[in-house]
Coordinates of all heavy atoms in Angstrom, one line a residue:
E174 N 102.6 83.1 125.6 CA 103.7 82.2 126.0 C 104.7 82.9 127.0 O 105.7 82.2 127.4 CB 104.5 81.9 124.7 CG 103.7 81.3 123.6 CD 104.4 81.3 122.3 OE1 105.5 81.8 122.2 OE2 103.8 80.7 121.3
Y175 N 104.4 84.1 127.5 CA 105.3 84.7 128.4 C 104.3 85.7 129.2 O 103.5 86.4 128.7 CB 106.4 85.5 127.8 CG 107.2 86.3 128.7 CD1 108.1 85.8 129.5 CD2 107.0 87.7 128.8 CE1 108.9 86.5 130.4 CE2 107.8 88.5 129.7 CZ 108.7 87.9 130.5 OH 109.4 88.6 131.4
E176 N 104.6 85.7 130.6 CA 103.9 86.6 131.4 C 104.8 87.7 131.9 O 105.8 87.6 132.4 CB 103.4 85.8 132.7 CG 102.6 86.7 133.6 CD 102.0 85.9 134.8 OE1 102.0 84.7 134.8 OE2 101.4 86.5 135.7
L177 N 104.4 89.0 131.5 CA 105.1 90.1 131.9 C 105.3 90.3 133.3 O 104.3 89.9 134.1 CB 104.5 91.4 131.3 CG 104.3 91.5 129.8 CD1 103.6 92.7 129.4 CD2 105.7 91.5 129.1
T178 N 106.4 90.8 133.8 CA 106.6 91.1 135.2 C 105.7 92.3 135.5 O 105.2 93.0 134.6 CB 108.0 91.4 135.6 OG1 108.4 92.6 134.9 CG2 109.0 90.3 135.1
V179 N 105.6 92.6 136.8 CA 104.8 93.8 137.2 C 105.4 95.1 136.6 O 104.6 95.9 136.1 CB 104.7 93.9 138.7 CG1 104.1 95.2 139.2 CG2 104.0 92.7 139.3
L180 N 106.7 95.2 136.7 CA 107.3 96.4 136.1 C 107.2 96.5 134.6 O 106.9 97.5 134.1 CB 108.8 96.4 136.5 CG 109.6 97.7 136.4 CD1 108.9 98.7 137.3 CD2 111.0 97.6 136.7
E181 N 107.4 95.3 133.9 CA 107.3 95.3 132.5 C 105.8 95.7 132.1 O 105.6 96.4 131.1 CB 107.6 93.9 131.9 CG 109.1 93.6 132.0 CD 109.4 92.1 131.8 OE1 108.4 91.3 131.7 OE2 110.6 91.8 131.7
D182 N 104.8 95.2 132.8 CA 103.5 95.4 132.5 C 103.1 96.9 132.7 O 102.3 97.5 131.9 CB 102.5 94.5 133.3 CG 101.2 94.4 132.6 OD1 101.1 94.5 131.4 OD2 100.2 94.3 133.4
L183 N 103.7 97.5 133.8 CA 103.5 98.9 134.0 C 104.1 99.7 132.9 O 103.4 100.7 132.4 CB 104.1 99.3 135.3 CG 104.1 100.8 135.6 CD1 102.7 101.4 135.7 CD2 104.9 101.1 136.9
G184 N 105.3 99.3 132.4 CA 105.9 100.0 131.3 C 105.1 99.9 130.0 O 104.9 100.9 129.3
R185 N 104.5 98.7 129.8 CA 103.6 98.6 128.6 C 102.4 99.5 128.7 O 102.0 100.1 127.7 CB 103.2 97.1 128.5 CG 102.0 96.8 127.6 CD 101.7 95.3 127.5 NE 100.4 95.1 127.0 CZ 99.3 95.0 127.8 NH1 99.4 95.2 129.1 NH2 98.1 94.8 127.2
T186 N 101.8 99.5 129.9 CA 100.6 100.4 130.1 C 101.0 101.9 129.8 O 100.2 102.6 129.1 CB 100.1 100.2 131.5 OG1 99.6 98.9 131.7 CG2 98.9 101.1 131.7
L187 N 102.1 102.3 130.4 CA 102.5 103.7 130.2 C 102.8 103.9 128.7 O 102.5 105.0 128.2 CB 103.8 103.9 131.0 CG 103.6 104.0 132.5 CD1 105.0 104.0 133.2 CD2 102.8 105.2 133.0
F188 N 103.5 103.0 128.1 CA 103.9 103.2 126.7 C 102.7 103.4 125.8 O 102.8 104.4 124.9 CB 104.7 102.0 126.2 CG 105.2 102.1 124.8 CD1 106.5 102.5 124.6 CD2 104.4 101.8 123.7 CE1 107.0 102.7 123.3 CE2 104.9 101.9 122.4 CZ 106.2 102.4 122.2
F189 N 101.7 102.7 126.0 CA 100.5 102.8 125.1 C 99.4 103.9 125.6 O 98.4 104.1 124.9 CB 99.8 101.5 124.9 CG 100.6 100.5 124.1 CD1 101.1 99.4 124.7 CD2 100.8 100.8 122.8 CE1 101.9 98.5 123.9 CE2 101.6 99.9 122.0 CZ 102.1 98.7 122.5
S190 N 99.7 104.5 126.7 CA 98.8 105.4 127.3 C 99.0 106.8 126.9 O 100.0 107.4 127.2 CB 98.8 105.3 128.9 OG 98.0 106.3 129.4
E191 N 98.1 107.4 126.2 CA 98.2 108.8 125.7 C 98.1 109.7 126.9 O 98.4 110.9 126.8 CB 97.2 109.1 124.6 CG 97.4 108.2 123.4 CD 96.4 108.6 122.3 OE1 95.6 109.5 122.5 OE2 96.4 107.9 121.2
A192 N 97.5 109.3 128.0 CA 97.3 110.2 129.1 C 98.5 110.3 130.0 O 98.6 111.2 130.8 CB 96.1 109.6 130.0
N193 N 99.6 109.5 129.7 CA 100.8 109.6 130.5 C 102.0 110.0 129.7 O 102.5 111.1 129.9 CB 101.0 108.2 131.1 CG 100.1 107.8 132.3 OD1 100.4 108.3 133.4 ND2 99.1 107.1 132.0
V194 N 102.4 109.2 128.8 CA 103.5 109.6 128.0 C 103.1 109.5 126.5 O 102.0 109.0 126.2 CB 104.7 108.7 128.2 CG1 105.2 108.8 129.7 CG2 104.4 107.2 128.0
N195 N 103.9 110.0 125.6 CA 103.6 110.1 124.2 C 104.4 109.1 123.4 O 104.7 109.3 122.2 CB 103.7 111.5 123.7 CG 102.4 112.2 123.8 OD1 101.4 111.7 124.2 ND2 102.4 113.5 123.3
C196 N 105.0 108.0 124.0 CA 105.8 107.1 123.3 C 105.1 106.6 122.0 O 105.7 106.5 120.9 CB 106.2 105.9 124.1 SG 107.0 106.3 125.7
S197 N 103.9 106.2 122.1 CA 103.2 105.5 121.0 C 102.8 106.5 119.9 O 102.5 106.1 118.8 CB 101.9 104.8 121.5 OG 101.0 105.8 122.1
T198 N 102.9 107.8 120.1 CA 102.6 108.7 119.1 C 103.6 108.6 117.9 O 103.1 108.6 116.7 CB 102.8 110.2 119.6 OG1 101.8 110.4 120.7 CG2 102.5 111.2 118.5
C199 N 104.8 108.3 118.2 CA 105.8 108.1 117.1 C 106.2 106.6 117.0 O 106.7 106.2 115.9 CB 107.0 109.0 117.3 SG 106.7 110.8 117.3
H200 N 106.2 105.9 118.0 CA 106.7 104.6 118.0 C 105.6 103.5 118.0 O 105.7 102.4 118.6 CB 107.6 104.3 119.3 CG 108.9 105.1 119.2 ND1 109.9 104.7 118.4 CD2 109.3 106.2 119.8 CE1 110.9 105.5 118.5 NE2 110.6 106.5 119.3
M201 N 104.6 103.8 117.3 CA 103.5 102.8 117.1 C 102.9 102.9 115.7 O 102.5 104.0 115.3 CB 102.4 102.8 118.1 CG 101.3 101.7 118.0 SD 100.1 101.7 119.4 CE 99.2 103.2 119.0
L202 N 102.9 101.9 114.9 CA 102.4 102.0 113.5 C 100.9 101.4 113.5 O 100.1 102.0 112.7 CB 103.3 101.1 112.6 CG 102.8 101.2 111.1 CD1 103.0 102.6 110.6 CD2 103.7 100.2 110.3
K203 N 100.6 100.4 114.3 CA 99.3 99.7 114.1 C 98.4 100.2 115.3 O 97.9 101.3 115.3 CB 99.6 98.3 114.1 CG 100.5 97.8 112.9 CD 100.7 96.3 112.9 CE 101.6 95.9 111.8 NZ 101.9 94.4 111.8
R204 N 98.2 99.3 116.2 CA 97.3 99.6 117.4 C 98.0 99.0 118.6 O 98.9 98.1 118.5 CB 95.9 99.1 117.1 CG 95.9 97.6 116.8 CD 94.5 97.0 116.7 NE 94.5 95.7 116.2 CZ 94.8 94.7 117.0 NH1 95.1 94.8 118.3 NH2 94.8 93.4 116.5
E205 N 97.5 99.3 119.8 CA 98.0 98.7 121.0 C 98.0 97.2 120.9 O 96.9 96.5 120.6 CB 97.2 99.1 122.2 CG 97.8 98.6 123.5 CD 97.0 99.2 124.7 OE1 96.4 100.2 124.6 OE2 97.1 98.6 125.8
D206 N 99.1 96.6 121.2 CA 99.3 95.1 121.3 C 99.0 94.4 120.0 O 98.6 93.2 119.9 CB 98.5 94.5 122.4 CG 99.0 94.9 123.8 OD1 100.3 95.2 123.9 OD2 98.3 94.8 124.8
A207 N 99.2 95.1 118.9 CA 99.0 94.4 117.5 C 100.2 93.5 117.3 O 101.4 93.8 117.7 CB 98.8 95.5 116.4
A208 N 100.0 92.5 116.6 CA 101.0 91.5 116.2 C 102.0 92.2 115.2 O 101.6 93.0 114.4 CB 100.4 90.2 115.6

């Protein structure tokens, strides 16, 4: 229902990418893009 902007989508990719930053190590309970 919403299309991420280029910047938002880059941020999403970085957030969930273990090769770049470690955000998801502590700030993710389920899996990438889980409801």
Side-chain angles (χ1 to χ4, degrees):
E174 299 167 1
Y175 174 76
E176 184 175 349
L177 297 175
T178 68
V179 172
L180 196 62
E181 291 167 349
D182 199 34
L183 173 59
R185 169 178 158 270
T186 300
L187 291 169
F188 184 92
F189 289 114
S190 172
E191 296 180 3
N193 285 277
V194 296
N195 268 357
C196 302
S197 61
T198 300
C199 298
H200 289 284
M201 185 173 69
L202 183 65
K203 302 178 180 180
R204 55 175 173 76
E205 181 176 343
D206 287 340

